[in-house]
Amino acid sequence: MEIEALRLRGFRNYEALDAAFVPGVNLILGDNAQGKTNLLEALVYLSTGRGFRTRREQELIRFGADFADLEADIAGAERTHTLRAVLFQGRRPRQLYKNGVKEKSFAALSGTLTTVLFCPEDLLILKAGAEKRRRFLDFALCQLRPGYEKALGEYQRLLEHKSRLVKDWRERPEYLDVLPDFNLRLCQFGAAIIAYRANYLEKLSRLSEAYHRDFSGGKETLRLSYRTVSTVENPLAPRLEIERALLAHQETHLRAELEAGQCLTGPHRDDFEVELNGVSLKSFGSQGQVRTAAISLKLSERDIFRDDTGEMPVLLLDDVLSELDAGRQDYLINQLRGGQVLITCCESRTCPNLGAVLHIAAGAKTGWELGTCKEAL
Ligand code: ATP
Ligand code: MG
């Protein structure tokens, strides 16, 4: 799928923008604070129904404006679709349209434009605590697997209930009667979650290892290893086996849970470890290495999505080139072949597969030119 055009009115620092994109690599060029990331944010909004830098929709509306209007033409396998979202100041709910037809919920728009975004905050996937890594997995898997989204939702609901049981059982001893039932169901949904995550991580590890190796000129080996509940010896085993392992862990931790008043066992504490040449990336990785690894994860995420759905998501790369040495920058730009890519940059650069350059200054388009790549046309 490809973004053909984007029209913005009153979005972030854009009063009005009409931009066109080509199928290959689109460079979005401008000085700091001109609106490059804002443009990507508008596309992410039309793709996911949310801004990626804020939860507060109001912040997306241009200061002093009454509403923000975002519209994009997306070329799909069969036809071009138009997605539109209008956000209002105050309490008035947003309006969503697909091909001019008003839709009640974002579900009707979702899937028309799929994107894989790399932004500097993604470095936290590799640098911060386990929660960021779980969110990365959950986000990718929820887009790909409706079964995962359902299992995760159920698991979280059950976990919330169970948290109350283990916290308040002293005042309400009858809670202990229902606890085994909650534990059993948590293990059932938990086993499903672990199976999905283990499969996804296996693919992700294989692909990102190859990307990272090429990125580093063959010098670095990236490895991802899934860390889940300790009694699960093989997270790729049949689900019943995982479920049994979870129940066993559950049993040995019951007393500790009741004493601590917390849920201590289950995949809500999952993590994956990232190693580079056998040592922890989090502890020892350089800035460039962390960035290279994060980009490798994103390129792999895009490949998995394409293999699964047959559609290549649009790759949105924000500030991706900084901190990379010339070799890694060249490799990345050459890797961008295939599929549409929008990449923000502060300095003009030439590269053989450049499709078009969009110049942005102070929330407006100041120029647009076709690049050197004939294929992109
Ligand atoms: P950099 O190269 O530094 O990353 P950028 O081109 O990506 O810069 P953006 O993050 O897109 O810059 O933001 C540019 C400007 O948008 C900021 O100066 C910010 O003040 C402004 N801005 C953000 N939200 C709004 C809004 N709701 N209304 C008006 N301006 C806004
Ligand atoms: Mg930016």
Side-chain angles (χ1 to χ4, degrees):
M1 68 183 61
E2 272 132 28
I3 303 161
E4 291 181 340
L6 175 68
R7 294 173 288 279
L8 300 176
R9 299 287 177 272
F11 180 83
R12 291 281 196 190
N13 69 336
Y14 288 95
E15 190 178 348
L17 173 84
D18 281 84
F21 301 95
V22 297
V25 178
N26 295 260
L27 195 66
I28 298 162
L29 196 63
D31 289 341
N32 292 134
Q34 302 304 305
K36 301 181 299 297
T37 305
N38 291 346
L39 190 153
L40 299 189
E41 192 177 27
L43 291 167
V44 171
Y45 191 93
L46 290 171
S47 161
T48 63
R50 262 175 272 154
F52 70 90
R53 299 202 283 183
T54 178
R55 279 170 195 273
R56 282 190 293 272
E57 211 134 88
Q58 307 281 311
E59 288 181 13
L60 302 175
I61 303 171
R62 186 176 151 84
F63 300 146
D66 296 328
F67 66 92
D69 194 336
L70 302 68
E71 191 173 57
D73 301 331
I74 314 298
E78 265 130 47
R79 57 167 289 193
T80 296
H81 295 279
T82 301
L83 299 178
R84 181 172 173 219
V86 190
L87 320 178
F88 298 97
Q89 289 287 6
R91 288 169 175 276
R92 194 169 157 195
R94 67 181 178 183
Q95 292 175 356
L96 301 166
Y97 300 85
K98 181 171 174 182
N99 300 324
V101 179
K102 199 165 173 181
E103 299 288 353
K104 278 209 177 67
S105 85
F106 192 82
L109 280 68
S110 109
T112 313
L113 170 62
T114 50
T115 52
V116 169
L117 168 75
F118 172 88
C119 62
E121 291 79 53
D122 286 328
L123 300 175
L124 293 176
I125 297 170
L126 300 169
K127 282 306 248 182
E131 201 200 328
K132 290 272 181 220
R133 283 181 289 284
R134 280 196 299 271
R135 270 183 48 191
F136 165 73
L137 285 181
D138 288 345
F139 188 77
L141 277 165
C142 283
Q143 279 194 311
L144 277 178
R145 300 264 180 272
Y148 181 82
E149 193 169 17
K150 223 169 131 221
L152 189 68
E154 279 297 310
Y155 185 88
Q156 280 163 345
R157 198 180 57 79
L158 290 163
L159 191 67
E160 251 170 61
H161 272 270
K162 183 183 161 184
S163 299
R164 232 173 303 144
L165 302 183
V166 295
K167 205 161 123 269
D168 297 338
W169 65 275
R170 285 190 181 85
E171 295 86 69
R172 313 283 297 268
E174 71 273 18
Y175 278 2
L176 293 178
D177 301 337
V178 290
L179 194 55
D181 185 45
F182 273 92
N183 277 340
L184 177 66
R185 283 191 290 154
L186 273 165
C187 290
Q188 286 164 342
F189 287 109
I193 291 170
I194 289 173
Y196 279 116
R197 286 182 181 168
N199 275 297
Y200 187 75
L201 269 172
E202 201 196 38
K203 280 190 211 136
L204 195 70
S205 181
R206 191 164 25 84
L207 291 167
S208 54
E209 184 186 334
Y211 275 123
H212 194 109
R213 174 162 317 118
D214 292 346
F215 239 126
S216 60
K219 284 194 229 98
E220 294 168 6
T221 305
L222 181 74
R223 183 139 303 145
L224 313 180
S225 352
Y226 184 28
R227 296 276 177 266
T228 185
V229 177
S230 62
T231 48
V232 180
E233 277 167 23
N234 175 16
L236 293 164
R239 273 187 206 185
L240 260 178
E241 208 175 293
I242 304 175
E243 195 182 313
R244 251 179 266 139
L246 291 180
L247 278 166
H249 196 267
Q250 188 72 257
E251 261 166 45
T252 52
H253 286 72
L254 181 62
R255 183 176 292 274
E257 286 191 315
L258 292 175
E259 271 165 25
Q262 279 178 12
C263 303
L264 300 175
T265 156
H268 56 284
R269 298 156 69 92
D270 276 1
D271 196 359
F272 62 91
E273 201 174 312
V274 186
E275 285 180 337
L276 205 57
N277 291 343
V279 296
S280 157
L281 181 74
K282 193 172 158 189
S283 310
F284 300 106
S286 77
Q287 278 169 311
Q289 284 176 322
V290 171
R291 191 169 277 258
T292 308
I295 298 165
S296 300
L297 289 186
K298 292 287 168 167
L299 292 173
S300 310
E301 190 185 332
R302 184 171 74 144
D303 288 353
I304 295 174
F305 203 96
R306 178 206 51 209
D307 293 348
D308 250 70
T309 65
E311 287 256 34
M312 185 72 131
V314 177
L315 192 58
L316 305 175
L317 301 175
D318 193 21
D319 250 344
V320 80
L321 298 172
S322 49
E323 289 168 7
L324 295 182
D325 58 39
R328 287 182 197 225
Q329 287 194 6
D330 283 350
Y331 173 75
L332 177 64
I333 290 172
N334 286 321
Q335 264 314 307
L336 298 178
R337 262 174 234 287
Q340 191 182 33
V341 185
L342 273 58
I343 176 167
T344 68
C345 205
C346 291
E347 293 154 38
S348 174
R349 39 181 315 130
T350 50
C351 69
N353 58 338
L354 197 59
V357 184
L358 171 65
H359 297 260
I360 297 287
K365 176 171 91 179
T366 52
W368 188 76
E369 75 236 20
L370 289 169
T372 42
C373 179
K374 301 274 181 302
E375 273 169 51
L377 309 173

